[in-house]
Amino acid sequence: MIKFEYKLAPISYDVKVMHRYLNPGKRDWDWSFYIICHYHELNKGDSKARIKRFVTQFRKKNKEKILNKMNEFKKSFGKISDKVVLALMDILELKKTKIDKLTILISSSPINPYDLRKRNFSIYFELSIDSMIAIAIHETSHFLFFERWMELFPKTKIRDCDPPSMIWYLSELIAPVILKDKRIQAIFKYPHRPYKEFERLIIEGKPITEI
């Protein structure tokens, strides 16, 4: 069974994530808006130095609030995490997982990526507890999805699953479908939705999310 470890995201982590999304590459989805709408002090194209100054001050001011939210989330998600993992494995037809631990980083970044190599993902502390749990389930599904994928296609390397690869796109398309499965909804009822970017992809007159 996967053990979940809960940690406060290092300041360096939040700075790296915010800088990445405030400075999107040509092939990246531009999600800079999501950071700017939460932190009006930041702007698209900001340097790491400027972001670091802001995050350092923000984290110092809100440290106790973030820690309290982490403990509240840990208590709530901890009650259902084992059931969630077993349900996801059942849905994905994964008989056994080699993942013994996933680290959840409670972050001040509104955008929360996962890292297959380090086996961690982050969650924005200002979200409601229900939304934090929904994200935890979503991100956990990615790790198990890729594990199942590599069982079926053993020549796949971790780098083949990095965005913006086709395998990554597939995992993001499938995640909401998995999370709407009755086995997950019976544990934690939540209206999981696909990314808006996918809703704009039209095939034969229908959004790809409806096919």
Side-chain angles (χ1 to χ4, degrees):
M1 183 58 63
I2 297 175
K3 176 185 176 183
F4 289 91
E5 184 177 34
Y6 305 81
K7 290 184 176 181
L8 184 62
I11 289 175
S12 58
Y13 174 91
D14 282 356
V15 171
K16 182 179 179 180
V17 171
M18 290 190 192
H19 180 263
R20 171 186 170 187
Y21 288 102
L22 285 173
N23 295 269
K26 291 182 179 179
R27 298 181 66 191
D28 296 331
W29 289 341
D30 187 350
W31 283 359
S32 57
F33 166 80
Y34 295 107
I35 294 177
I36 296 169
C37 73
H38 286 279
Y39 300 119
H40 302 302
E41 300 89 343
L42 297 175
N43 299 287
K44 188 174 180 179
D46 275 348
S47 66
K48 279 189 177 180
R50 188 173 188 280
I51 297 169
K52 183 178 180 179
R53 286 195 298 271
F54 171 77
V55 172
T56 301
Q57 292 177 349
F58 180 87
R59 290 281 293 270
K60 184 178 180 179
K61 182 179 179 181
N62 294 278
K63 184 176 181 179
E64 185 175 350
K65 181 180 179 181
I66 298 172
L67 286 172
N68 288 339
K69 193 64 170 287
M70 179 176 71
N71 291 330
E72 185 182 356
F73 164 69
K74 177 181 178 180
K75 183 178 180 180
S76 297
F77 184 55
K79 293 177 181 178
I80 63 170
S81 58
D82 286 352
K83 293 179 181 179
V84 165
V85 171
L86 289 173
L88 290 172
M89 291 174 64
D90 188 37
I91 294 166
L92 291 164
E93 299 182 351
L94 183 64
K95 294 182 179 180
K96 187 177 180 180
T97 177
K98 296 179 182 178
I99 302 171
D100 57 352
K101 183 176 74 172
L102 287 176
T103 301
I104 302 177
L105 303 171
I106 305 304
S107 170
S108 53
S109 171
I111 302 176
N112 307 119
Y114 59 83
D115 190 319
L116 292 177
R117 295 165 181 81
K118 295 181 179 179
R119 291 186 175 176
N120 68 33
F121 60 88
S122 58
I123 300 178
Y124 182 38
F125 84 100
E126 284 280 28
L127 296 173
S128 68
I129 293 298
D130 278 0
S131 293
M132 292 177 77
I133 292 173
I135 290 175
I137 298 173
H138 178 112
E139 302 303 338
T140 301
S141 76
H142 284 311
F143 286 89
L144 294 172
F145 170 83
F146 288 123
E147 187 173 16
R148 179 60 172 148
W149 181 277
M150 290 179 182
E151 277 189 356
L152 296 171
F153 306 100
K155 292 184 179 180
T156 304
K157 306 297 182 184
I158 288 181
R159 65 175 179 272
D160 299 327
C161 303
D162 289 339
S165 70
M166 292 305 296
I167 301 174
W168 174 80
Y169 277 117
L170 182 60
S171 76
E172 293 293 357
L173 274 169
I174 288 178
V177 178
I178 292 173
L179 303 184
K180 289 178 182 178
D181 187 284
K182 63 182 180 181
R183 285 164 282 188
I184 292 295
Q185 291 292 312
I187 300 167
F188 183 73
K189 194 169 183 62
Y190 192 88
H192 299 275
R193 296 183 178 89
Y195 290 129
K196 291 181 180 179
E197 285 78 4
F198 289 131
E199 294 175 352
R200 300 186 190 116
L201 296 176
I202 306 299
I203 297 179
E204 296 183 353
K206 292 184 178 181
I208 193 171
T209 53
E210 296 180 9
I211 295 175

